[in-house]
Amino acid sequence: MEITLALGGGGAKGNAHIGVIRRLEKEGYQIRSVAGTSMGGLVAIFYASGLAPAEIEEIFTSTDQGSLYGRDANDGPSLLGLSGVRKLLDTVLGDKTFDDLKIPCAVTAVDTKTGSEIVISEGFLRDGVLATIALPGVFPPHSLNDWELMDGGVLNPVPVTVARMLSPDLPIVAVVLNDPLDTPVRTYSIPVPSILPKQITDRIHRLHVAQAFDIFMRAVDLSSRAVAHYRLEADAPDIIVRPNVHQFDLLDKVVVKDVALLGDAAVEKILPELKKAVSWMNRLNKKIFGAKR
């Protein structure tokens, strides 16, 4: 039972990808390739590098989420920095490249100069991660070759087309973390160090820049929902998995284990549909008639 994965973006919600992968493996599915966008790109690269779901969960659990977004000299124009993320990537990935991966993997980004989608499947793994997670305006764009790259979710929140490119003949399981179009929009807060006293934190959240951040993030959320909705209709993955992570914001501090379990539960719901999608009859019908099922 071979499949390929398309892991969508969603910030803190992306910890659900761990549970999705873990449950798919438990059910006997063999993941032959994986594509990812944003947080989905990070999980995709970690998994393709040979890390088991339990190992990825342990890495995320042991990471101080409050230290990820500090600024340093390497950060360009942005509200938050990625100094903590770079340290994490240096520790976990070092100088590994896409050639070192155990299975084919690619992540998406968008060139801020041309507006083109860029599929990254070669070079240093850390460059792929820093490009695909560069949420515009929030995190700094990542310079690579002649590109200035930002979050791939701007154009392709769930990279079904990239998964199909990696494994054209395999069923595609798309993991969607975006809220449905009819879900009310949540408010967003600027992440602040947990060591700050509450009175200072409250004062920061009342600043105009914090209110502007809230409005901007709502706009990003709504845009991403719409793009994901229409692209999924057009790109037609074989199976869509939707973990119930809608209570979390992109930059929330979360209990990694709890969010991962929501991914596991989401796979449980679609197991009958997944079994049908990977059946030889369904795959034969797709080859002959080009039908989804």
Side-chain angles (χ1 to χ4, degrees), residues 63-208:
T63 298
D64 178 6
Q65 297 173 44
S67 69
L68 291 174
Y69 310 130
R71 297 186 61 84
D72 61 23
N74 295 313
D75 288 318
S78 60
L79 182 61
L80 303 174
L82 289 172
S83 63
V85 174
R86 279 190 286 269
K87 291 177 182 177
L88 174 64
L89 297 179
D90 287 343
T91 299
V92 178
L93 299 176
D95 290 329
K96 290 181 179 179
T97 71
F98 280 84
D99 290 335
D100 297 315
L101 296 177
K102 308 301 182 183
I103 59 174
C105 174
V107 299
T108 66
V110 175
D111 182 18
T112 62
K113 300 175 183 178
T114 64
S116 301
E117 180 178 354
I118 306 297
V119 177
I120 303 173
S121 58
E122 60 183 20
F124 291 112
L125 296 177
R126 61 172 176 259
D127 282 327
V129 173
L130 290 171
T132 196
I133 68 171
L135 189 65
V138 179
F139 298 131
H142 185 67
S143 298
L144 182 64
N145 301 327
D146 293 327
W147 303 311
E148 285 292 324
L149 298 175
M150 61 182 172
D151 194 314
V154 171
L155 294 179
N156 201 351
V158 190
V160 173
T161 51
V162 181
R164 186 169 286 125
M165 175 192 72
L166 293 174
S167 298
D169 297 325
L170 293 183
I172 299 171
V173 178
V175 186
V176 183
L177 305 178
N178 301 88
D179 291 344
L181 289 175
D182 57 355
T183 303
V185 184
R186 296 170 56 87
T187 58
Y188 288 85
S189 300
I190 294 178
V192 295
S194 57
I195 60 174
L196 292 179
K198 184 177 184 302
Q199 59 267 33
I200 296 179
T201 300
D202 290 343
R203 187 176 301 173
I204 291 174
H205 289 160
R206 289 195 298 269
L207 295 174
H208 286 307

Side-chain angles (χ1 to χ4, degrees), residues 21 29 125 131 210 229 232 249 272 287:
I21 295 172
Y29 291 95
L125 296 177
H229 176 80
L232 286 168
D249 291 337
K287 284 188 176 183

Side-chain angles (χ1 to χ4, degrees), residues 199-264:
Q199 59 267 33
I200 296 179
T201 300
D202 290 343
R203 187 176 301 173
I204 291 174
H205 289 160
R206 289 195 298 269
L207 295 174
H208 286 307
V209 67
Q211 296 169 16
F213 175 81
D214 173 36
I215 294 171
F216 173 75
M217 289 301 297
R218 294 191 200 201
V220 170
D221 185 359
L222 288 169
S223 175
S224 183
R225 291 187 200 185
V227 174
H229 176 80
Y230 294 116
R231 286 217 57 159
L232 286 168
E233 286 192 342
D235 298 338
D238 295 271
I239 293 293
I240 293 177
V241 182
R242 287 186 180 272
N244 184 22
V245 290
H246 309 306
Q247 67 272 36
F248 303 113
D249 291 337
L250 295 174
L251 301 178
D252 273 354
K253 295 178 182 179
V254 298
V255 179
V256 174
K257 180 179 179 180
D258 292 347
V259 182
L261 287 173
L262 296 175
D264 186 294

